[in-house]
């Protein structure tokens, strides 16, 4: 029994030491040097955020709608299961209600027939149901508004007056943020998949570091390199769909911080 207790104490102590060392890295980087931190902990698995482009709204500019083909890493059967899981999570994330069987069947058939995940999302947020949600008389939480302003500045290169969000409820804020972000993603993708993936990767890593709410290993990954390699393997539609889900899930949680 004493031996068991001793092993537990040693294990706890070791865990505490590891946690302490991990938390010490930012202090060393800030006050001493990043090179010393790299020698102690190893180089970070990170990528840099690309320059945020100016989004063109010229109807004649079709460059963002490039028809380049991207190969999916999934078999047809795997993609079918993934699509079903996506639709279920998407409806719950956008409406905060479980999907019914009819909706699952409808949108699943849409994807199986060649529709895009982005297209399904846009259909959901432009539906009469979602419009009714946007008309609810409920203020967006302070936490959600602050994060919105931060994302607009860093990832969209737009200065947003936080007071402009006072008249919008959380459903409107989520839709507007996602729509503007996808415009930037499409513009980056027209330049290169690398820049598109780096934007997504840095965004995802920041969410993982700032908000420990994720229920999957990938979404919880705190180094942008992990998200970058995943994004480079996936089709852009899958990457954008993951961005959509994470953004809605985050803001659902932020809204509860009233």
């Amino acid at each position: 029994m004493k031996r068991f207790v001793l092993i537990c104490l040693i294990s706890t102590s070791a865990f505490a030491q590891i946690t302490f060392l991990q938390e010490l890295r930012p202090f060393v980087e800030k006050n001493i040097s990043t090179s010393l931190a790299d020698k102690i902990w190893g180089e970070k698995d990170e990528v840099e955020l690309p320059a945020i482009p100016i989004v063109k709204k010229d109807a004649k500019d079709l460059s963002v709608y490039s028809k380049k083909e991207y190969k999916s890493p999934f078999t047809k059967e795997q993609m079918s299961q993934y699509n079903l899981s996506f639709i279920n999570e998407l409806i719950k994330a956008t409406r905060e209600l479980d999907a019914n069987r009819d909706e699952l069947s409808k949108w699943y058939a849409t994807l199986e027939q060649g529709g895009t995940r982005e297209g399904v999302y846009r259909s959901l947020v432009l539906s009469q149901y979602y419009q009714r949600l946007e008309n609810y008389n409920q203020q967006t939480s302070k936490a959600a508004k602050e994060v919105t302003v931060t994302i607009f500045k860093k990832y969209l290169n737009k200065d947003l007056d936080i007071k402009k969000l006072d008249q919008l409820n959380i459903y409107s804020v989520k839709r507007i943020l996602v729509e503007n972000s996808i415009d930037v993603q499409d513009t980056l993708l027209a330049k290169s998949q690398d820049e598109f993936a780096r934007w997504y990767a840095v965004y995802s890593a920041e969410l993982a570091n700032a908000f420990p709410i994720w229920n999957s290993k990938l979404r919880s990954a705190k180094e942008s390199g992990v998200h970058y390699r995943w994004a480079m393997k996936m089709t852009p539609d899958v990457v954008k769909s993951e961005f959509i889900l994470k953004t809605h899930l985050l803001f659902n949680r932020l809204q509860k911080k009233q």
Side-chain angles (χ1 to χ4, degrees):
M1 182 65 180
K2 290 182 179 179
R3 183 180 180 184
F4 173 77
V5 172
L6 180 60
I7 291 173
C8 289
L9 288 172
I10 293 172
S11 299
T12 301
S13 176
F15 178 79
Q17 290 172 8
I18 292 171
T19 302
F20 172 74
L21 287 173
Q22 290 173 336
E23 293 176 348
L24 185 61
R25 177 168 188 154
F27 175 84
V28 173
E29 289 178 332
K30 182 178 179 179
N31 296 283
I32 305 177
S33 72
T34 54
S35 59
L36 177 60
D38 288 343
K39 289 180 180 179
I40 298 173
W41 289 279
E43 292 187 9
K44 283 187 173 181
D45 185 12
E46 304 287 2
V47 296
E48 292 185 359
L49 184 69
I52 306 302
I54 297 174
V55 176
K56 296 180 180 179
K57 289 296 184 180
D58 184 354
K60 295 180 181 179
D61 181 13
L62 302 179
S63 61
V64 296
Y65 301 105
S66 171
K67 297 299 181 181
K68 180 180 177 180
E69 293 290 332
Y70 294 91
K71 186 177 179 180
S72 172
F74 303 108
T75 65
K76 184 177 180 180
E77 292 74 19
Q78 289 172 331
M79 198 66 214
S80 293
Q81 290 297 317
Y82 193 13
N83 282 337
L84 188 60
S85 175
F86 163 73
I87 295 165
N88 192 42
E89 189 173 18
L90 177 66
I91 291 174
K92 191 165 186 177
T94 53
R95 298 179 177 178
E96 297 187 84
L97 291 173
D98 290 328
N100 61 48
R101 190 171 297 178
D102 289 341
E103 284 184 312
L104 284 174
S105 298
K106 173 186 175 181
W107 296 118
Y108 175 74
T110 298
L111 293 180
E112 289 294 290
Q113 292 167 11
T116 66
R117 292 179 168 203
E118 181 186 345
V120 171
Y121 169 74
R122 290 188 183 277
S123 295
L124 286 175
V125 296
L126 293 176
S127 67
Q128 291 184 351
Y129 186 98
Y130 199 86
Q131 287 175 13
R132 289 196 296 270
L133 293 176
E134 290 197 39
N135 287 327
Y136 282 169
N137 186 19
Q138 181 187 34
Q139 274 206 335
T140 300
S141 72
K142 181 181 178 182
K145 288 189 286 188
E146 289 174 346
V147 172
T148 301
V149 171
T150 300
I151 292 173
F152 262 79
K153 179 63 177 178
K154 181 173 182 178
Y155 295 96
L156 308 182
N157 197 24
K158 293 181 179 180
D159 291 316
L160 179 64
D161 185 350
I162 196 169
K163 293 181 180 178
K164 290 185 177 181
L165 300 175
D166 290 344
Q167 304 303 316
L168 300 174
N169 73 12
I170 191 65
Y171 296 99
S172 295
V173 170
K174 290 189 292 184
R175 176 182 58 78
I176 292 169
L177 174 58
V178 169
E179 287 177 348
N180 278 268
S181 297
I182 288 178
D183 285 343
V184 170
Q185 291 173 37
D186 282 339
T187 304
L188 287 169
L189 184 59
K191 295 175 65 179
S192 73
Q193 186 182 9
D194 168 73
E195 293 196 26
F196 167 80
R198 284 194 284 124
W199 187 99
Y200 168 82
V202 175
Y203 178 87
S204 296
E206 183 164 353
L207 262 57
N209 279 281
F211 307 100
I213 63 174
W214 312 105
N215 58 5
S216 76
K217 184 176 180 180
L218 178 60
R219 289 178 182 175
S220 300
K222 295 183 177 181
E223 294 188 316
S224 58
V226 176
H227 297 284
Y228 172 79
R229 288 189 293 277
W230 178 85
M232 289 296 289
K233 291 178 183 178
M234 299 295 129
T235 63
D237 190 47
V238 168
V239 176
K240 285 192 281 187
S241 72
E242 182 65 11
F243 161 78
I244 289 166
L245 286 173
K246 285 193 286 195
T247 302
H248 274 265
L249 291 170
L250 170 63
F251 277 79
N252 292 345
R253 184 67 67 92
L254 291 174
Q255 181 62 13
K256 295 175 182 177
K257 293 184 177 182
Q258 292 280 17

